[in-house]
Amino acid sequence: MENTLSVAKYLYNSYFEHFGKPMDQMRLHKLMYFVQRESLMYKKEVLFKEPFLGWRYGPVLYSVRREYQTGNLFSDVSDEVSEDTRQLAEQVLKRYGSFSAWKLSSLSHRELSWKRARKGLDASDNGNVELELSAMKVDAVKELAERKWYE
């Protein structure tokens, strides 16, 4: 299992290499969600342990949010990620990296896991309900089936 911030750092740096600009916080949260979902799809296991919270604009990782708030993005993160994780991250960047943060947010709003975490909340509430892993697994199965259908 990977360290959440190590995965985030890898994604952030890889995004910069691919697109030549820093990644905003909203985009990183969504791409981290999609990396976790890819791991559930192809490896059938959680990539990192930290749960996502169902905030109003989509899934959020508290540790990633803290990194952006400090202004010292990943300066204290020294762990490297595995080759498998790098490949997952690159797949996600290839598929979703060019999407706007708002487009990524709209995609995450279609996910069962996010919808369940938002149940009973007003649209303007951030909310602090964790996305259920079981619902994320359903999202992963659904996405995998959809991709196979299009192939």
Side-chain angles (χ1 to χ4, degrees):
M1 191 168 302
E2 299 281 7
N3 174 296
T4 304
L5 290 178
S6 296
V7 176
K9 179 180 180 177
Y10 180 83
L11 256 179
Y12 183 90
N13 290 338
S14 188
Y15 180 87
F16 189 85
E17 288 174 18
H18 286 286
F19 299 100
K21 59 184 178 182
M23 191 179 339
D24 62 87
Q25 182 180 170
M26 187 169 162
R27 181 186 314 269
L28 184 54
H29 287 295
K30 304 323 163 246
L31 292 178
M32 287 290 288
Y33 173 82
F34 291 126
V35 167
Q36 184 77 290
R37 190 184 67 185
E38 294 282 317
S39 182
L40 292 169
M41 285 168 52
Y42 295 115
K43 296 170 64 180
K44 307 289 189 246
E45 60 187 37
V46 173
L47 182 62
F48 49 87
K49 190 174 181 176
E50 183 179 348
F52 287 90
L53 301 173
W55 281 22
R56 65 178 158 184
Y57 296 122
V60 168
L61 291 164
Y62 189 72
S63 66
V64 170
R65 177 148 174 75
R66 261 195 336 263
E67 284 296 304
Y68 276 89
Q69 288 173 326
T70 65
N72 299 317
L73 279 177
F74 312 116
S75 61
D76 295 332
V77 180
S78 59
D79 299 339
E80 295 292 321
V81 295
S82 69
E83 179 60 30
D84 285 346
T85 298
R86 289 192 291 272
Q87 288 177 6
L88 280 174
E90 294 302 326
Q91 288 172 354
V92 167
L93 284 175
K94 183 177 179 184
R95 181 176 296 272
Y96 301 107
S98 63
F99 291 10
S100 72
W102 287 107
K103 173 66 175 174
L104 294 171
S105 183
S106 70
L107 291 174
S108 70
H109 285 195
R110 296 186 331 192
E111 302 285 292
L112 173 67
S113 57
W114 181 81
K115 288 177 183 178
R116 281 193 176 171
R118 298 295 302 165
K119 190 173 183 175
L121 297 174
D122 289 333
S124 62
D125 293 340
N126 260 341
N128 284 314
V129 177
E130 293 180 6
L131 273 65
E132 298 169 4
L133 182 57
S134 60
M136 287 182 71
K137 289 177 180 179
V138 170
D139 292 330
V141 168
K142 179 182 163 202
E143 177 65 19
L144 187 58
E146 202 171 290
R147 288 183 192 178
K148 286 182 178 181
W149 188 83
Y150 283 109
E151 289 177 352

